[in-house]
Amino acid sequence: MKKQVHSIEVRNAALARLAERGVTLDDIAEIVYLMQSPYHPDLTMAQCMESVKAVLEKREMQHAILVGVELDTLAEKGLLSEPLQSIIASDEGLFGCDETLALGSVFGYGSIAVTTFGHLDKHKVGVIKRLDTKSAEGRVHTFLDDLVASVAANASSRMAHRMRDEQEAELARSEAAKLQEAELRVEEKGKGTEQAG
């Protein structure tokens, strides 16, 4: 029987790959903050971090990170066969597999995640810009820049939906309190009428 890999091992490996490649969770949370703070002025970095961590608990995201970073690393070492080696090492403009892998991880978080991913892929916000910039160090981040955009887009979408849920819950509590207050006034008025009679 084939060995089954425990989910904790997969999660830890994905987080380790991000760290090894110079990406911190703070880097990703900062992108989430930039994407969502215009819509939620009271947003905190702690909320953004919580959302990033929740997204990184998803197996699909962990698997995508492991596959993408592995391909980047193999390209850095020159271990891929041609022409794939040259395509990935140079981050060939017409090569779309990096976006495809990252985008596949975005669909589970809805249209906000998809449009946010497109924005981040085009505008290269925060750490994504550093990863996308070709360097003389010989580092390859063909997949990683898109995967970071995917995590940030998913966390942003999750945040947007969560904030709406919290607003609606607060509104419901407020409405319930007003209704209860109105019922108490009617009850008190009724007691006053009974005493007067």
Side-chain angles (χ1 to χ4, degrees):
M1 184 170 163
K2 294 181 182 176
K3 178 190 173 204
Q4 185 175 351
V5 181
H6 196 284
S7 58
I8 293 172
E9 186 180 344
V10 176
R11 183 198 65 210
N12 291 345
L15 293 174
R17 295 305 170 275
L18 289 174
E20 289 163 9
R21 306 299 285 179
V23 176
T24 68
L25 300 189
D26 284 332
D27 291 332
I28 303 172
E30 285 173 16
I31 298 170
V32 175
Y33 184 82
L34 287 170
M35 294 295 98
Q36 287 300 308
S37 60
Y39 309 103
H40 306 287
D42 297 331
L43 184 65
T44 67
M45 281 297 291
Q47 291 170 308
C48 296
M49 179 63 80
E50 187 271 330
S51 198
V52 167
K53 287 179 178 178
V55 167
L56 287 168
E57 288 295 320
K58 298 286 188 185
R59 270 194 196 88
E60 293 83 359
M61 195 75 253
Q62 296 163 2
H63 292 161
I65 289 167
L66 292 175
V67 169
V69 170
E70 188 74 14
L71 287 167
D72 283 346
T73 304
L74 290 171
E76 270 179 16
K77 296 175 181 176
L79 295 175
L80 298 172
S81 60
E82 289 295 351
L84 189 59
Q85 172 63 41
S86 295
I87 291 170
I88 294 178
S90 67
D91 197 0
E92 166 66 45
L94 295 178
F95 181 70
C97 295
D98 47 342
E99 283 89 1
T100 302
L101 178 64
L103 192 56
S105 304
V106 169
F107 289 129
Y109 282 89
S111 61
I112 294 172
V114 173
T115 56
T116 302
F117 175 78
H119 172 82
L120 293 173
D121 185 44
K122 181 174 182 175
H123 297 285
K124 311 296 183 194
V125 176
V127 70
I128 299 166
K129 183 175 180 75
R130 176 176 59 80
L131 294 170
D132 185 61
T133 303
K134 313 278 188 305
S135 69
E137 304 168 13
R139 300 302 301 263
V140 175
H141 301 301
T142 299
F143 284 87
L144 185 59
D145 63 332
D146 296 305
L147 290 165
V148 169
S150 177
V151 174
N154 289 340
S156 292
S157 181
R158 181 182 180 278
M159 179 69 57
H161 286 285
R162 186 157 290 228
M163 297 297 261
R164 172 62 70 87
D165 291 345
E166 289 173 7
Q167 288 169 348
E168 289 177 359
E170 180 58 38
L171 182 61
R173 285 190 293 272
S174 175
E175 292 297 321
K178 286 179 188 175
L179 182 60
Q180 187 177 20
E181 191 176 301
E183 288 171 351
L184 285 173
R185 279 197 302 268
V186 168
E187 192 177 303
E188 289 299 318
K189 194 173 187 179
K191 286 181 183 175
T193 305
E194 286 174 15
Q195 289 174 355

